[in-house]
Amino acid sequence: MAGGVQHNKMAMDPAFVKLGNMQTNRHVYFRWTPRTARITFMYAVVVPTIMGIIAYKTDGLWDLRAKRKGDLLVER
């Protein structure tokens, strides 16, 4: 009853096997192209810069702690 028999063995789908192999070896097949350079630049420089500007502009603008019903979020 509790031997080495696998009761839930499924046939491997070739598409899933190919996808798994592709994701495992993605670093082997990666090439720097203008498109990948542009996307990397956007995520490494532009997005953090925008988030930093937003954080700098809104620093201390709202006090979200200990607010009650009817209190304003903006401090004057």
Side-chain angles (χ1 to χ4, degrees):
M1 281 248 181
V5 180
Q6 294 182 359
H7 297 288
N8 58 355
K9 186 170 181 173
M10 293 177 51
M12 297 296 288
D13 187 1
F16 285 137
V17 172
K18 185 177 179 182
L19 177 67
N21 290 334
M22 181 187 67
Q23 289 181 349
T24 305
N25 297 319
R26 184 174 299 195
H27 66 282
V28 175
Y29 300 108
F30 179 78
R31 285 197 186 125
W32 283 105
T33 63
R35 180 178 184 268
T36 57
R38 190 170 40 251
I39 291 171
T40 303
F41 179 76
M42 295 295 274
Y43 280 115
V45 176
V46 175
V47 172
T49 302
I50 291 171
M51 296 299 288
I53 290 170
I54 291 171
Y56 181 74
K57 294 284 185 182
T58 61
D59 185 34
L61 185 62
W62 297 300
D63 184 23
L64 300 176
R65 228 182 321 172
K67 292 296 178 183
R68 294 190 176 130
K69 187 175 182 179
D71 289 346
L72 297 176
L73 290 176
V74 179
E75 290 189 16
R76 295 184 181 156

